[in-house]
Amino acid sequence: MATSELSCLLAEENSERREAFWAEWKDLTLSTRPEEGCSLHEEDAQRHETYHRQGQCQALVQRSPWLVMRMGILGRGLQEYQLPYQRVLPLPIFTPAKVGATKEEREETPVQLQELLALETALGGQCVDRQDVAEITKQLPPVVPVSKPGTLRRSLSRSMSQEAQRG
């Protein structure tokens, strides 16, 4: 099975703001594989000849950093899939250019981050349906300590009749 891959590299740098972005991903994969149900096999017993031919198809997979994947057979069209969102932050985080800057010199906080901060402030760090630990443990069954560590292991390994026979 032959495979060819095409990867992409994207890099940006803003030296004034001391910001940089770098991304690399495997963009296109083209592989040749045997096609199902497309094979030919002939035998001629008198002439002692055989002929075998296996059909091939070229599978294409295209990925993008926007979590879209396209798959299919070359020449027959591609099916597009939206991949699930990965665990990444929604906002790029950069260090400020001026660490010791005054409040007036700093840039404004992005709107999405302001909304998250407002929600955290409104909740006050408290869960709405919070329960004390004592209430949670009160609902659990009591813990029974094992008197000897070896008794539990021995009772699981042999039955009572075997122990009675051994004496």
Side-chain angles (χ1 to χ4, degrees):
M1 187 166 89
T3 303
S4 300
E5 292 181 347
L6 178 67
S7 61
C8 289
L9 173 67
L10 175 70
E12 292 181 7
E13 189 172 339
N14 187 345
S15 57
E16 291 177 7
R17 295 179 67 184
R18 293 185 186 167
E19 296 175 350
F21 176 77
W22 180 81
E24 183 177 9
W25 67 95
K26 196 185 304 182
D27 185 58
L28 199 65
T29 305
L30 182 66
S31 59
T32 303
R33 56 180 73 162
E35 191 170 8
E36 281 187 40
C38 187
S39 63
L40 176 65
H41 183 77
E42 293 181 3
E43 266 187 56
D44 189 353
Q46 288 180 329
R47 295 185 177 182
H48 300 288
E49 295 175 346
T50 59
Y51 176 76
H52 182 76
R53 184 173 181 188
Q54 176 69 50
Q56 294 181 343
C57 62
Q58 293 173 328
L60 184 74
V61 179
Q62 184 180 17
R63 299 170 187 89
S64 75
W66 296 278
L67 299 174
V68 174
M69 180 184 256
R70 293 181 186 93
M71 299 175 72
I73 304 298
L74 194 64
R76 296 187 196 165
L78 300 176
Q79 183 72 33
E80 188 172 294
Y81 300 96
Q82 181 67 43
L83 299 176
Y85 188 70
Q86 294 178 348
R87 289 174 280 182
V88 294
L89 293 173
L91 299 172
I93 297 177
F94 297 107
T95 56
K98 299 176 183 174
V99 178
T102 62
K103 196 170 189 176
E104 294 81 25
E105 294 174 350
R106 284 190 235 148
E107 295 178 14
E108 288 188 30
T109 308
V111 177
Q112 296 99 331
L113 196 54
Q114 285 179 353
E115 292 171 359
L116 285 173
L117 292 172
L119 178 65
E120 286 183 7
T121 308
L123 292 175
Q126 295 292 324
C127 182
V128 177
D129 51 344
R130 181 183 169 168
Q131 293 181 343
D132 288 335
V133 176
E135 292 177 30
I136 297 171
T137 55
K138 181 172 55 174
Q139 298 168 0
L140 295 174
V143 177
V144 179
V146 178
S147 58
K148 296 179 186 176
T151 57
L152 181 63
R153 191 175 339 126
R154 187 177 30 189
S155 64
L156 292 175
S157 65
R158 295 187 218 147
S159 67
M160 293 299 281
S161 62
Q162 287 177 337
E163 289 206 18
Q165 289 174 359
R166 289 184 175 220

